[in-house]
Coordinates of all heavy atoms in Angstrom, one line a residue:
M108 N 105.9 96.8 92.7 CA 105.8 96.7 94.2 C 105.9 98.1 94.8 O 106.7 98.9 94.3 CB 106.9 95.8 94.7 CG 106.7 94.3 94.4 SD 107.8 93.3 95.3 CE 109.3 93.4 94.3
P109 N 105.2 98.3 95.9 CA 105.3 99.6 96.5 C 106.6 99.9 97.2 O 107.3 99.0 97.6 CB 104.2 99.6 97.5 CG 103.9 98.2 97.7 CD 104.3 97.4 96.5
L110 N 106.9 101.1 97.3 CA 108.1 101.6 98.0 C 107.8 101.9 99.5 O 106.7 102.4 99.8 CB 108.7 102.8 97.4 CG 109.4 102.7 96.1 CD1 109.8 104.1 95.6 CD2 110.6 101.8 96.2
Y111 N 108.7 101.5 100.4 CA 108.5 101.8 101.8 C 109.7 102.6 102.3 O 110.8 102.4 101.8 CB 108.3 100.5 102.6 CG 107.1 99.8 102.3 CD1 107.1 98.8 101.3 CD2 105.9 100.0 102.9 CE1 106.0 98.1 101.0 CE2 104.8 99.3 102.6 CZ 104.8 98.4 101.6 OH 103.7 97.7 101.3
E112 N 109.4 103.6 103.1 CA 110.5 104.4 103.6 C 111.0 103.9 104.9 O 110.2 103.6 105.8 CB 109.9 105.9 103.9 CG 110.9 106.8 104.3 CD 110.3 108.2 104.6 OE1 109.1 108.4 104.5 OE2 111.1 109.1 104.8
F113 N 112.3 103.8 105.0 CA 113.0 103.4 106.2 C 113.9 104.5 106.6 O 114.3 105.4 105.8 CB 113.8 102.1 106.0 CG 113.0 100.9 105.6 CD1 112.5 100.7 104.4 CD2 112.6 100.1 106.7 CE1 111.8 99.6 104.1 CE2 111.8 98.9 106.4 CZ 111.4 98.7 105.1
R114 N 114.2 104.6 107.9 CA 115.1 105.7 108.4 C 116.2 105.1 109.3 O 116.0 104.4 110.3 CB 114.2 106.7 109.2 CG 115.0 107.8 109.7 CD 114.1 108.9 110.2 NE 114.9 110.1 110.5 CZ 115.3 111.0 109.6 NH1 115.1 110.8 108.3 NH2 116.0 112.0 110.0
C115 N 117.4 105.5 108.9 CA 118.6 105.2 109.6 C 118.9 106.4 110.5 O 118.8 107.5 110.1 CB 119.8 104.9 108.7 SG 121.3 104.7 109.5
R116 N 119.3 106.1 111.7 CA 119.6 107.2 112.6 C 120.8 108.1 112.2 O 120.8 109.3 112.4 CB 119.9 106.7 114.0 CG 118.8 106.2 114.8 CD 119.1 105.8 116.1 NE 117.9 105.2 116.8 CZ 117.9 105.0 118.1 NH1 118.9 105.2 118.9 NH2 116.8 104.5 118.6
D117 N 121.7 107.4 111.5 CA 122.9 108.2 111.1 C 122.8 108.7 109.6 O 123.3 109.8 109.3 CB 124.2 107.3 111.2 CG 124.4 106.9 112.6 OD1 124.1 107.7 113.5 OD2 124.9 105.8 112.8
C118 N 122.2 107.9 108.7 CA 122.2 108.3 107.3 C 121.0 108.9 106.8 O 120.9 109.5 105.8 CB 122.5 107.0 106.5 SG 124.0 106.1 107.0
G119 N 119.9 108.8 107.6 CA 118.7 109.4 107.2 C 117.7 108.4 106.5 O 117.8 107.2 106.7
S120 N 116.8 108.9 105.7 CA 115.8 108.1 105.1 C 116.2 107.5 103.8 O 117.0 108.1 103.0 CB 114.5 109.0 104.8 OG 114.0 109.5 106.0
F121 N 115.7 106.3 103.5 CA 115.9 105.6 102.2 C 114.7 104.8 101.9 O 113.9 104.5 102.8 CB 117.2 104.8 102.2 CG 117.2 103.7 103.2 CD1 116.8 102.4 102.9 CD2 117.6 104.0 104.5 CE1 116.8 101.4 103.8 CE2 117.7 103.0 105.5 CZ 117.3 101.7 105.1
D122 N 114.5 104.5 100.6 CA 113.3 103.7 100.2 C 113.8 102.3 99.8 O 114.8 102.1 99.2 CB 112.6 104.4 99.0 CG 112.0 105.7 99.4 OD1 111.7 105.8 100.6 OD2 111.9 106.6 98.6
R123 N 112.9 101.3 100.1 CA 113.1 99.9 99.6 C 111.7 99.4 99.1 O 110.7 99.9 99.6 CB 113.6 99.1 100.7 CG 115.0 99.4 101.3 CD 116.1 98.8 100.5 NE 116.0 97.3 100.3 CZ 116.5 96.4 101.2 NH1 117.1 96.8 102.3 NH2 116.3 95.2 101.0
S124 N 111.8 98.6 98.1 CA 110.6 98.0 97.6 C 110.3 96.6 98.1 O 111.2 95.8 98.1 CB 110.7 98.0 96.0 OG 109.6 97.5 95.5
F125 N 109.1 96.4 98.5 CA 108.7 95.0 99.0 C 107.3 94.8 98.6 O 106.5 95.7 98.4 CB 108.8 95.0 100.5 CG 110.1 95.0 101.1 CD1 110.7 96.2 101.6 CD2 110.9 93.9 101.2 CE1 111.9 96.3 102.2 CE2 112.2 93.9 101.8 CZ 112.7 95.1 102.2
A126 N 107.0 93.5 98.5 CA 105.6 93.1 98.3 C 104.9 93.5 99.6 O 105.5 93.4 100.7 CB 105.4 91.6 98.0
M127 N 103.6 93.9 99.5 CA 102.9 94.4 100.6 C 102.8 93.3 101.8 O 102.8 93.6 102.9 CB 101.5 94.8 100.2 CG 101.5 96.0 99.4 SD 99.8 96.6 98.9 CE 99.5 97.7 100.3
A128 N 102.7 92.0 101.4 CA 102.6 91.0 102.4 C 104.0 90.7 103.0 O 104.0 89.9 104.0 CB 102.0 89.7 101.8
E129 N 105.1 91.1 102.4 CA 106.4 90.7 102.9 C 107.2 91.9 103.5 O 108.4 91.7 103.7 CB 107.2 90.1 101.7 CG 106.4 88.9 101.2 CD 107.1 88.3 99.9 OE1 108.1 89.0 99.5 OE2 106.6 87.3 99.4
V130 N 106.6 93.0 103.7 CA 107.4 94.2 104.1 C 107.8 94.0 105.6 O 107.0 93.7 106.5 CB 106.6 95.5 103.9 CG1 105.4 95.5 104.7 CG2 107.5 96.7 104.3
P131 N 109.1 94.1 105.8 CA 109.6 93.9 107.2 C 109.5 95.2 108.0 O 109.3 96.3 107.5 CB 111.1 93.5 107.0 CG 111.5 94.2 105.8 CD 110.2 94.2 104.9
A132 N 109.6 95.1 109.3 CA 109.5 96.3 110.2 C 110.8 97.0 110.2 O 110.8 98.2 110.5 CB 109.1 95.9 111.6
A133 N 111.9 96.3 109.9 CA 113.2 96.9 109.9 C 114.1 96.2 108.9 O 114.0 95.0 108.6 CB 113.9 96.9 111.3
V134 N 115.0 97.0 108.3 CA 116.0 96.4 107.3 C 117.3 97.0 107.6 O 117.5 98.0 108.4 CB 115.6 96.7 105.8 CG1 114.3 96.1 105.4 CG2 115.6 98.3 105.6
D135 N 118.4 96.5 107.0 CA 119.7 97.1 107.2 C 119.9 98.3 106.3 O 119.5 98.3 105.2 CB 120.8 96.0 106.9 CG 120.8 94.9 107.9 OD1 120.3 95.0 109.0 OD2 121.4 93.8 107.5
C136 N 120.5 99.3 106.8 CA 120.8 100.5 106.1 C 121.8 100.2 105.0 O 122.8 99.5 105.2 CB 121.4 101.6 107.0 SG 122.0 103.0 106.2
P137 N 121.5 100.7 103.8 CA 122.5 100.4 102.7 C 123.8 101.2 102.9 O 124.8 100.8 102.3 CB 121.8 100.9 101.4 CG 120.8 101.9 101.9 CD 120.4 101.4 103.3
G138 N 123.9 102.2 103.7 CA 125.1 103.0 103.9 C 126.0 102.4 105.0 O 127.2 102.3 104.8
C139 N 125.4 102.1 106.2 CA 126.2 101.7 107.3 C 125.7 100.3 107.9 O 126.3 99.9 108.9 CB 126.1 102.8 108.4 SG 124.5 103.0 109.1
A140 N 124.7 99.7 107.3 CA 124.2 98.4 107.7 C 123.6 98.3 109.1 O 123.4 97.3 109.7 CB 125.3 97.3 107.7
A141 N 123.3 99.5 109.6 CA 122.6 99.6 110.9 C 121.1 99.3 110.7 O 120.6 99.4 109.6 CB 122.7 101.0 111.5
T142 N 120.5 98.7 111.7 CA 119.1 98.4 111.6 C 118.3 99.7 111.5 O 118.4 100.6 112.3 CB 118.6 97.6 112.9 OG1 119.4 96.4 113.0 CG2 117.2 97.3 112.8
S143 N 117.4 99.8 110.5 CA 116.6 101.0 110.2 C 115.2 100.6 110.2 O 114.7 99.6 109.5 CB 117.0 101.5 108.8 OG 118.4 101.7 108.7
R144 N 114.4 101.3 110.9 CA 113.0 101.0 111.1 C 112.2 101.6 110.0 O 112.5 102.7 109.5 CB 112.5 101.5 112.4 CG 113.2 100.8 113.6 CD 112.6 101.4 114.9 NE 111.2 101.2 115.0 CZ 110.6 100.3 115.7 NH1 111.3 99.5 116.5 NH2 109.2 100.2 115.7
R145 N 111.1 100.9 109.7 CA 110.1 101.4 108.6 C 109.4 102.6 109.2 O 109.0 102.6 110.4 CB 109.2 100.3 108.2 CG 108.2 100.8 107.1 CD 107.6 99.6 106.4 NE 106.7 98.8 107.3 CZ 105.4 98.9 107.4 NH1 104.7 99.8 106.6 NH2 104.7 98.2 108.2
Q146 N 109.2 103.6 108.4 CA 108.5 104.8 108.9 C 107.0 104.6 108.6 O 106.6 104.0 107.6 CB 109.0 106.0 108.1 CG 110.4 106.4 108.3 CD 110.6 106.7 109.8 OE1 110.1 107.6 110.3 NE2 111.4 105.8 110.4
P147 N 106.1 105.0 109.5 CA 104.7 104.9 109.3 C 104.3 105.7 108.1 O 104.8 106.8 107.8 CB 104.1 105.5 110.6 CG 105.2 106.3 111.2 CD 106.5 105.7 110.8
G148 N 103.3 105.1 107.4 CA 102.8 105.8 106.2 C 103.6 105.4 104.9 O 103.0 104.9 104.0
G149 N 104.9 105.5 105.0 CA 105.7 105.1 103.9 C 105.3 105.7 102.6 O 104.3 106.3 102.5
A150 N 106.0 105.4 101.5 CA 105.7 105.8 100.2 C 105.1 104.7 99.4 O 105.6 103.6 99.4 CB 106.9 106.3 99.5
F151 N 103.9 104.9 98.9 CA 103.2 103.8 98.2 C 103.1 104.1 96.7 O 102.2 103.7 96.0 CB 101.8 103.6 98.7 CG 101.8 102.9 100.1 CD1 101.8 103.6 101.3 CD2 101.9 101.5 100.2 CE1 101.8 103.0 102.5 CE2 101.9 100.9 101.4 CZ 101.9 101.6 102.5
I152 N 104.0 104.9 96.2 CA 103.9 105.3 94.8 C 105.1 104.6 94.0 O 106.2 104.8 94.4 CB 104.0 106.8 94.6 CG1 102.8 107.4 95.4 CG2 104.0 107.2 93.2 CD1 102.8 108.9 95.5
R153 N 104.8 103.9 93.0 CA 105.8 103.2 92.2 C 106.5 104.2 91.3 O 105.8 105.0 90.7 CB 105.2 102.1 91.3 CG 104.8 100.9 92.1 CD 104.2 99.8 91.2 NE 102.8 100.3 90.8 CZ 102.3 100.1 89.6 NH1 103.0 99.6 88.6 NH2 101.1 100.5 89.4
P154 N 107.8 104.1 91.2 CA 108.5 105.0 90.4 C 108.1 104.8 88.9 O 107.9 103.6 88.5 CB 110.0 104.6 90.5 CG 110.1 103.6 91.6 CD 108.7 103.2 92.0
G155 N 107.9 105.8 88.2 CA 107.5 105.7 86.8 C 106.0 105.6 86.6 O 105.5 105.7 85.4
S156 N 105.3 105.5 87.7 CA 103.8 105.4 87.5 C 103.3 106.8 87.2 O 103.9 107.8 87.3 CB 103.2 104.8 88.8 OG 103.4 105.8 89.9
A157 N 102.0 106.8 86.8 CA 101.3 108.0 86.5 C 101.3 109.0 87.7 O 101.5 110.2 87.6 CB 99.9 107.8 86.0
A158 N 101.1 108.4 88.9 CA 101.1 109.3 90.1 C 102.5 109.8 90.3 O 102.6 111.0 90.7 CB 100.6 108.4 91.3
A159 N 103.5 109.1 90.1 CA 104.9 109.6 90.4 C 105.2 110.7 89.3 O 105.8 111.7 89.7 CB 105.9 108.4 90.3
R160 N 104.8 110.4 88.1 CA 105.1 111.5 87.1 C 104.3 112.8 87.4 O 104.8 113.9 87.2 CB 104.7 111.0 85.7 CG 105.6 109.9 85.1 CD 105.3 109.6 83.7 NE 103.9 109.3 83.5 CZ 103.5 108.1 83.2 NH1 104.4 107.2 82.8 NH2 102.2 107.8 83.1
L161 N 103.1 112.6 87.9 CA 102.3 113.8 88.2 C 103.0 114.6 89.4 O 103.1 115.8 89.3 CB 100.9 113.4 88.6 CG 100.0 114.5 89.1 CD1 99.8 115.6 88.1 CD2 98.7 114.0 89.7
I162 N 103.4 113.9 90.4 CA 104.1 114.6 91.5 C 105.4 115.2 91.0 O 105.6 116.4 91.4 CB 104.4 113.5 92.6 CG1 103.0 113.1 93.2 CG2 105.3 114.1 93.7 CD1 103.1 111.9 94.2
D163 N 106.1 114.5 90.2 CA 107.3 115.1 89.6 C 107.0 116.4 88.8 O 107.7 117.4 89.0 CB 108.1 114.2 88.8 CG 108.7 113.0 89.6 OD1 108.8 113.2 90.8 OD2 109.1 112.0 89.0
A164 N 106.0 116.4 88.0 CA 105.7 117.5 87.2 C 105.2 118.7 88.1 O 105.5 119.8 87.8 CB 104.6 117.2 86.2
T165 N 104.4 118.4 89.1 CA 103.9 119.4 90.0 C 105.1 120.0 90.8 O 105.1 121.2 90.9 CB 102.9 118.8 91.0 OG1 101.9 118.2 90.2 CG2 102.3 119.8 91.9
T166 N 106.0 119.2 91.2 CA 107.2 119.8 91.9 C 108.0 120.6 91.0 O 108.5 121.7 91.4 CB 108.0 118.6 92.4 OG1 107.2 117.8 93.3 CG2 109.2 119.1 93.3
R167 N 108.1 120.2 89.7 CA 109.0 120.9 88.8 C 108.3 122.3 88.5 O 109.0 123.3 88.4 CB 109.1 120.1 87.5 CG 110.4 120.2 86.8 CD 110.7 119.3 85.7 NE 109.6 118.7 85.1 CZ 109.3 117.4 85.2 NH1 110.1 116.6 85.9 NH2 108.2 116.8 84.6
T168 N 107.0 122.4 88.4 CA 106.4 123.7 88.1 C 106.5 124.6 89.2 O 106.5 125.8 89.0 CB 104.9 123.5 87.7 OG1 104.2 122.9 88.8 CG2 104.7 122.7 86.5
A169 N 106.7 124.1 90.4 CA 106.9 125.0 91.6 C 108.3 125.7 91.5 O 108.4 126.8 91.9 CB 106.7 124.3 92.9
S170 N 109.2 124.9 91.0 CA 110.6 125.5 91.0 C 111.0 126.0 89.7 O 112.0 126.8 89.6 CB 111.6 124.4 91.5 OG 111.6 123.3 90.7
E171 N 110.4 125.5 88.6 CA 110.7 125.9 87.3 C 109.4 126.3 86.5 O 109.0 125.6 85.7 CB 111.4 124.8 86.5 CG 112.6 124.2 87.2 CD 113.1 122.9 86.6 OE1 112.7 122.6 85.5 OE2 113.9 122.2 87.3
P172 N 108.9 127.4 86.8 CA 107.6 127.8 86.2 C 107.8 128.0 84.7 O 108.9 128.3 84.2 CB 107.2 129.1 86.8 CG 108.5 129.6 87.4 CD 109.4 128.5 87.7
A173 N 106.7 127.8 83.9 CA 106.8 127.9 82.5 C 107.1 129.4 82.2 O 106.5 130.3 82.8 CB 105.5 127.5 81.9
V174 N 107.9 129.6 81.2 CA 108.2 131.0 80.8 C 107.4 131.4 79.6 O 107.2 130.7 78.6 CB 109.7 131.1 80.4 CG1 110.1 132.4 80.0 CG2 110.6 130.7 81.6
V175 N 106.8 132.6 79.7 CA 106.0 133.2 78.6 C 107.0 134.0 77.7 O 107.8 134.8 78.2 CB 104.9 134.1 79.2 CG1 104.1 134.7 78.1 CG2 104.0 133.3 80.1
G176 N 106.9 133.8 76.4 CA 107.8 134.4 75.5 C 107.5 135.9 75.3 O 108.4 136.7 75.1
A177 N 106.2 136.3 75.4 CA 105.8 137.7 75.2 C 104.5 138.0 76.0 O 103.8 137.1 76.2 CB 105.6 137.9 73.7
P178 N 104.3 139.3 76.3 CA 103.1 139.6 77.0 C 101.9 139.5 76.0 O 102.1 139.5 74.8 CB 103.3 141.0 77.4 CG 104.4 141.6 76.5 CD 105.2 140.4 76.1
A179 N 100.7 139.4 76.6 CA 99.5 139.3 75.7 C 99.5 140.6 74.9 O 99.8 141.7 75.3 CB 98.3 139.2 76.6
A180 N 99.0 140.4 73.7 CA 98.8 141.6 72.7 C 97.8 142.6 73.3 O 96.8 142.2 73.8 CB 98.4 141.1 71.4
R181 N 98.2 143.9 73.2 CA 97.3 144.9 73.6 C 96.1 145.1 72.7 O 96.3 145.0 71.5 CB 98.0 146.2 73.7 CG 99.0 146.2 74.9 CD 99.5 147.6 75.2 NE 100.0 147.6 76.5 CZ 99.8 148.6 77.4 NH1 99.0 149.6 77.1 NH2 100.2 148.5 78.6
G182 N 95.0 145.3 73.2 CA 93.8 145.6 72.4 C 93.2 144.3 71.9 O 92.2 144.3 71.2
A183 N 93.8 143.2 72.2 CA 93.2 141.9 71.7 C 91.9 141.7 72.5 O 91.9 141.9 73.7 CB 94.2 140.8 71.9
A184 N 90.9 141.3 71.9 CA 89.7 141.0 72.5 C 89.8 139.7 73.4 O 90.2 138.7 72.8 CB 88.6 140.8 71.5
L185 N 89.6 139.9 74.7 CA 89.7 138.8 75.5 C 88.3 138.1 75.7 O 88.2 136.9 76.0 CB 90.1 139.2 76.9 CG 91.5 139.9 77.0 CD1 91.8 140.3 78.4 CD2 92.6 138.9 76.4
T186 N 87.2 138.8 75.4 CA 85.9 138.3 75.5 C 85.0 138.9 74.4 O 85.3 140.0 74.0 CB 85.3 138.5 76.9 OG1 84.0 138.0 76.9 CG2 85.3 140.0 77.2
R187 N 84.0 138.2 74.0 CA 83.1 138.7 73.0 C 81.7 139.1 73.7 O 80.9 139.6 73.0 CB 82.8 137.6 71.9 CG 84.0 137.4 71.1 CD 83.8 136.4 70.1 NE 85.0 136.2 69.3 CZ 85.1 135.4 68.3 NH1 84.0 134.7 67.8 NH2 86.2 135.2 67.6
N188 N 81.6 138.9 75.0 CA 80.4 139.3 75.6 C 80.3 140.8 75.8 O 81.2 141.5 76.4 CB 80.4 138.7 77.1 CG 79.1 138.9 77.7 OD1 78.4 139.8 77.5 ND2 78.8 138.0 78.6
P189 N 79.3 141.5 75.1 CA 79.2 142.9 75.2 C 79.0 143.5 76.6 O 79.4 144.6 76.8 CB 78.0 143.3 74.3 CG 77.2 142.0 74.2 CD 78.2 140.9 74.4
L190 N 78.5 142.7 77.5 CA 78.4 143.2 78.9 C 79.8 143.4 79.5 O 79.9 144.3 80.4 CB 77.5 142.3 79.7 CG 76.1 142.1 79.2 CD1 75.4 141.0 80.1 CD2 75.3 143.4 79.3
H191 N 80.7 142.8 79.1 CA 82.1 142.9 79.7 C 82.7 144.3 79.3 O 83.5 144.8 80.1 CB 83.0 141.8 79.2 CG 82.6 140.5 79.8 ND1 83.2 139.3 79.4 CD2 81.7 140.1 80.8 CE1 82.6 138.3 80.1 NE2 81.7 138.8 80.9
H192 N 82.2 144.9 78.3 CA 82.7 146.3 77.9 C 82.3 147.3 78.9 O 82.8 148.4 78.9 CB 82.3 146.6 76.5 CG 82.9 145.7 75.4 ND1 84.3 145.7 75.1 CD2 82.4 144.8 74.7 CE1 84.6 144.8 74.2 NE2 83.4 144.2 73.9
K193 N 81.2 147.0 79.6 CA 80.7 148.0 80.6 C 81.4 148.0 81.9 O 81.2 148.8 82.8 CB 79.2 147.8 80.8 CG 78.4 148.0 79.6 CD 76.9 147.8 79.9 CE 76.1 148.0 78.6 NZ 74.7 147.7 78.9
L194 N 82.3 147.0 82.1 CA 83.0 146.8 83.4 C 84.0 147.9 83.5 O 84.5 148.4 82.5 CB 83.7 145.5 83.4 CG 82.8 144.3 83.5 CD1 83.6 143.0 83.4 CD2 82.0 144.2 84.8
P195 N 84.3 148.4 84.7 CA 85.3 149.5 84.9 C 86.6 149.1 84.5 O 87.0 147.9 84.5 CB 85.2 149.7 86.4 CG 84.6 148.5 87.0 CD 83.7 147.9 86.0
R196 N 87.3 150.0 83.9 CA 88.7 149.8 83.4 C 89.7 150.2 84.4 O 89.5 151.1 85.1 CB 89.0 150.6 82.1 CG 88.0 150.3 81.0 CD 88.3 149.0 80.4 NE 87.2 148.7 79.4 CZ 87.1 147.5 78.8 NH1 88.0 146.6 79.1 NH2 86.1 147.3 78.0
P197 N 90.8 149.5 84.5 CA 91.9 149.9 85.5 C 92.5 151.2 85.1 O 92.5 151.7 84.0 CB 92.9 148.8 85.4 CG 92.6 148.1 84.1 CD 91.2 148.3 83.7
Ligands
ZN158 ZN1 122.9 104.2 107.9

């Protein structure tokens, strides 16, 4: 079932899962039991789904980039095209 985002004035946002035909306009906040309205748009991504894993991986690469163990070897041929040898060198 999809997740929908609700917002409590005091506690902030939280997600609840409902069938699309049964989603209410407001639910009780799990923190303070105040009436919390559904936010437009909401989250429609199931936890553990491929889309959720992709978003998690993308977020992780932004904050935890992959570490390279060593720089590229000097003199190693990057290309075999002879025309590339005529390009200006830095
Ligand atoms: Zn609350």
Side-chain angles (χ1 to χ4, degrees):
M108 285 190 284
L110 287 173
Y111 294 91
E112 182 180 8
F113 293 86
R114 182 163 187 80
C115 172
R116 287 185 180 192
D117 298 329
C118 305
S120 298
F121 61 94
D122 294 333
R123 295 274 306 271
S124 181
F125 290 98
M127 292 181 87
E129 300 171 0
V130 61
V134 297
D135 291 341
C136 171
C139 66
T142 300
S143 306
R144 296 181 57 107
R145 181 164 64 102
Q146 296 300 294
F151 286 96
I152 299 171
R153 284 181 285 140
S156 68
R160 287 191 306 247
L161 175 63
I162 291 170
D163 289 345
T165 304
T166 304
R167 219 174 12 253
T168 57
S170 61
E171 303 167 19
V174 177
V175 177
R181 289 192 160 226
L185 299 176
T186 176
R187 293 183 180 181
N188 187 334
L190 296 176
H191 291 171
H192 294 292
K193 295 181 181 176
L194 293 173
R196 302 286 172 189

